[in-house]
Amino acid sequence: VCECFAVGNAFSESTAVHRIAPDRYRGAIPAGWDIAGNANGGVLLAIAARALLDATGRADPVTVTCHYLAPGRPGDVTIDVTVIKSGKSFATANAAMVDAEGRPIVQVLGACGDLAGAAGPDVVTGSAPDLPDPEDCVVRKPSDAFEIPFNSRIEMRLHPDDAGFAEGAKSGRALVRGWFRLPDDEPIDTVALLLAVDSFPPTIFNLDLPVAWTPTVELTVHVRARPVAGWLRCVFGTRFLTGGFLEEDGEVWDASGRLVAQSRQLALVPRAS
Amino acid sequence: VCECFAVGNAFSESTAVHRIAPDRYRGAIPAGWDIAGNANGGVLLAIAARALLDATGRADPVTVTCHYLAPGRPGDVTIDVTVIKSGKSFATANAAMVDAEGRPIVQVLGACGDLAGAAGPDVVTGSAPDLPDPEDCVVRKPSDAFEIPFNSRIEMRLHPDDAGFAEGAKSGRALVRGWFRLPDDEPIDTVALLLAVDSFPPTIFNLDLPVAWTPTVELTVHVRARPVAGWLRCVFGTRFLTGGFLEEDGEVWDASGRLVAQSRQLALVPRAS
C-alpha cells in the first residue's frame, strides 16, 4: 500500500515523513499499528508531528492538539504544514493530514521548540503513580471482540488492579495505570511521548458501561521534558463522563521520576449498540 | 481605533464579528478589556470562536484550542476561517486572527457542534468547589503594579483563602477559586465560557515566586454543557511547575451544579526581572 518508501518495524521508521515540496510531506499510515483496522491515534499524531518539526526546524513538539476527522487506514498520506509564526522560543504551525483520496484524517495545531535548555523553578504537588514492577504487571491479552495488532508494536504493562476489564472484572474506577516503552530498546524521544499518551485502553473500560470504544474528538499533549531511557510510568483518569462526552487526562513520568508529558483528550461515548 | 462597527460595552457586542467575505471576518479587539494594555486572552479566543461558529453554522464551541502569538492591542482584526471538515456531529475549522498590520495574534483550531441535545450516561467523581456566598468573597482590587481595566468588564469574586496575594498574603497553594458572571445580567452562552476560563488571576500568584505574569502559550477549552443563568463556580489549579512551564487546569460549574467547561492552558514562567 505504501509506495513512496519502505516502512520498517520501529516506531521512528513507521512514522517517518519525507518532504516532497516546500511545507508538503509524504508519509504512510503503517500497517499493523491498528486497533480493529484503524490506526492508533498516537501514531497519526506522531506522523503529523514529524512534519511539523521538520517544517519548523525545531526539536520538540511542546504543545500539540490533534483533531481526529476520519479513521486512519494503512496507506500513503500527505501532510501540508502551514507555519503561522516562527518566533524565538516557539514555532507555531498547522499540519493537515489527508489520505490518498484527499480525505482529511487529522488536523494538528502545535507549538514546537527546544526542551533541551528548559529551566526554571520546580513546584510539583502531583506525583507519579505507584506501580508494581513491570514483571508483576499485566500484558494486555487479545480481545475476544476484535484484534489489536497495535499492542504488539509497543510494550505495555497494566497495573493489576486496572487490568481485569478484559475478563469482565472491571475495577469500577475510570482509571488505567501502567508502564510503557518501545520494543527492542528503541529510544523514546518527545515524538514517542505523543504515542505513549494514546496507547492505553480507555479509562471507562473499567466502568460498568456497555462501551467497546471511545472515539477521540481532540487530543492535546504538553511535552514537558525529554525523557531519560527506561520504562515510562503512565496514568490515565476520567472524572467527568457527562452528556455523551468524557475527558481523559494522562500523565507520563520517566525513569528519573520527572513528569515528561501531560495529556487531555475529549472523547465520545457511543450509544450502546 | 475600531473603524468598521461600533463596539458596545457588553461582552457579546465587544466580541462580535462581521463576515466581509466568504470565510473572512472583521472584528475588533475592544478597548478596556485589557490587563496592563494587553487584551485578556479569553476575549481574543471569544472573537475567534464567533467567527468559527458563523462559518461552520454551528451553535457551540465544543473543543477549541488557542495559541497566543502576540499581545492583543485594541483595534481592528481580521479572522480567516478554514473549514476542514463539516460532519454530522461536529464541524472542525481553523481561525487565524491577524491585526491591521497582518501580524498573527491568535491561531485557533476547534470543533463546533450543538450541545442542546447532549445526552448519555453520567459518571462524575469530581465536584464543584466549595465557596462562600458571593457577598462573602473578595472583589479583586486594582494592582499597585499595573492597571487591570478588564476586571471592570466582568464580575469576579475570589475565595477569601485564595485572594490575599495582592496584599502579599500568598496562600502557598497554586489554587484560585471563585465566582464569575457578566455584569448587568448579560446571559452567559457557551462563548462566554471561553472568557470565564481565562478571567481569573494566575494560580501561581499564590506561590512564593517573583512572578508578575504568566504568558499563555496554548489554551484548550472543552465546553461540556450550556450553562443555566446565574453565578458560575470556578476553580483553577496547577500541579506541575517545571522547566519554565506550568499547566493551569480549570473547571467551571453552573448554578444547577453541572460541569459546563474544563480548561487547560500551558503557560510560561518568565525569568524574574
Side-chain angles (χ1 to χ4, degrees):
Chain A
V1 238
C2 309
E3 296 167 359
C4 57
F5 56 96
V7 172
N9 284 323
F11 170 70
S12 61
E13 295 166 308
S14 298
T15 56
V17 296
H18 294 274
R19 195 161 73 125
I20 56 173
D23 292 332
R24 173 164 285 186
Y25 293 82
R26 177 61 51 85
I29 298 176
W33 290 77
D34 62 296
I35 297 98
N38 299 323
N40 166 270
V43 172
L44 301 177
L45 172 54
I47 295 168
R50 292 200 194 282
L52 280 181
L53 293 173
D54 191 86
T56 60
R58 309 292 170 124
D60 301 299
V62 175
T63 169
V64 289
T65 292
C66 185
H67 283 241
Y68 291 91
L69 306 173
R73 308 285 183 165
D76 288 349
V77 292
T78 303
I79 306 106
D80 280 315
V81 176
T82 307
V83 179
I84 301 149
K85 180 185 174 184
S86 191
K88 182 163 167 280
S89 300
F90 305 110
T92 306
N94 281 318
M97 179 192 290
V98 300
D99 68 12
E101 285 74 46
R103 190 174 60 147
I105 304 297
V106 298
Q107 180 76 24
V108 176
L109 171 60
C112 302
D114 187 330
L115 291 170
D122 268 28
V123 183
V124 172
T125 55
S127 56
D130 216 3
L131 297 172
D133 289 341
E135 56 268 32
D136 297 323
C137 284
V138 178
V139 177
R140 193 176 180 193
K141 294 192 188 69
S143 161
D144 289 342
F146 48 84
E147 296 197 343
I148 312 182
F150 174 70
N151 281 349
S152 66
R153 300 294 180 164
I154 58 171
E155 288 195 48
M156 182 171 61
R157 303 284 183 275
L158 298 177
H159 192 301
D161 293 351
D162 305 338
F165 60 85
E167 284 80 40
K170 299 179 176 195
S171 71
R173 291 195 299 167
L175 180 70
V176 173
R177 295 160 293 180
W179 301 96
F180 177 94
R181 69 179 180 189
L182 292 174
D184 305 320
D185 292 323
E186 182 177 354
I188 294 195
D189 62 8
T190 50
V191 175
L193 292 177
L194 309 180
L195 176 72
V197 298
D198 200 41
S199 287
F200 283 72
T203 53
I204 67 167
F205 281 9
N206 269 322
L207 295 181
D208 189 21
L209 293 170
V211 171
W213 62 307
T214 56
T216 303
V217 178
E218 174 263 332
L219 168 65
T220 294
V221 189
H222 296 172
V223 175
R224 299 291 289 268
R226 295 182 184 169
V228 301
W231 283 101
L232 298 172
R233 283 176 194 263
C234 306
V235 54
F236 301 90
T238 296
R239 292 186 304 135
F240 304 105
L241 192 158
T242 62
F245 294 94
L246 70 144
E247 93 286 359
E248 190 169 308
D249 285 349
E251 293 170 15
V252 180
W253 304 73
D254 75 4
S256 77
R258 171 183 276 228
L259 177 83
V260 291
Q262 271 190 306
S263 66
R264 172 174 286 170
Q265 65 169 261
L266 183 70
L268 299 176
V269 188
R271 305 271 168 93
S273 56
Chain B
V1 239
C2 310
E3 296 167 0
C4 58
F5 56 94
V7 171
N9 284 322
F11 170 70
S12 61
E13 296 166 307
S14 299
T15 55
V17 296
H18 295 273
R19 193 161 74 125
I20 56 172
D23 292 332
R24 172 163 286 186
Y25 293 81
R26 175 63 49 84
I29 298 175
W33 290 77
D34 62 298
I35 296 97
N38 299 324
N40 166 271
V43 171
L44 301 177
L45 173 54
I47 296 168
R50 293 199 194 282
L52 280 181
L53 293 173
D54 191 87
T56 59
R58 310 291 169 121
D60 301 298
V62 175
T63 169
V64 288
T65 291
C66 185
H67 283 240
Y68 292 91
L69 306 174
R73 307 284 182 163
D76 289 350
V77 291
T78 303
I79 306 105
D80 281 315
V81 176
T82 308
V83 179
I84 300 149
K85 181 184 174 185
S86 191
K88 183 162 167 280
S89 300
F90 305 109
T92 306
N94 281 319
M97 178 192 293
V98 300
D99 69 11
E101 285 74 47
R103 190 173 62 147
I105 304 296
V106 298
Q107 180 75 26
V108 176
L109 172 59
C112 302
D114 188 329
L115 291 170
D122 268 26
V123 183
V124 172
T125 55
S127 56
D130 217 3
L131 297 172
D133 290 340
E135 56 267 32
D136 296 322
C137 284
V138 177
V139 178
R140 192 177 180 194
K141 294 190 189 71
S143 163
D144 289 340
F146 49 83
E147 296 197 342
I148 313 181
F150 174 70
N151 282 349
S152 67
R153 301 292 180 167
I154 59 171
E155 289 195 46
M156 182 171 61
R157 303 283 183 277
L158 298 178
H159 192 300
D161 293 351
D162 305 339
F165 59 84
E167 283 80 40
K170 299 178 174 194
S171 72
R173 292 196 299 168
L175 180 71
V176 172
R177 295 160 293 179
W179 301 96
F180 178 93
R181 69 179 180 189
L182 292 173
D184 305 321
D185 292 324
E186 182 175 355
I188 294 195
D189 61 8
T190 49
V191 175
L193 293 177
L194 309 180
L195 178 70
V197 299
D198 200 41
S199 288
F200 283 72
T203 53
I204 66 165
F205 280 9
N206 270 321
L207 295 181
D208 190 20
L209 293 170
V211 172
W213 63 305
T214 56
T216 304
V217 178
E218 174 263 331
L219 167 65
T220 294
V221 189
H222 296 171
V223 175
R224 299 290 289 267
R226 294 182 184 170
V228 301
W231 284 103
L232 299 172
R233 281 176 197 262
C234 305
V235 54
F236 301 89
T238 296
R239 293 186 303 135
F240 304 104
L241 191 158
T242 62
F245 294 95
L246 69 145
E247 92 287 0
E248 188 168 310
D249 284 350
E251 294 170 16
V252 180
W253 303 73
D254 75 3
S256 77
R258 171 183 276 228
L259 178 83
V260 291
Q262 271 190 307
S263 65
R264 173 173 286 170
Q265 64 169 262
L266 183 69
L268 299 176
V269 188
R271 306 270 167 94
S273 54

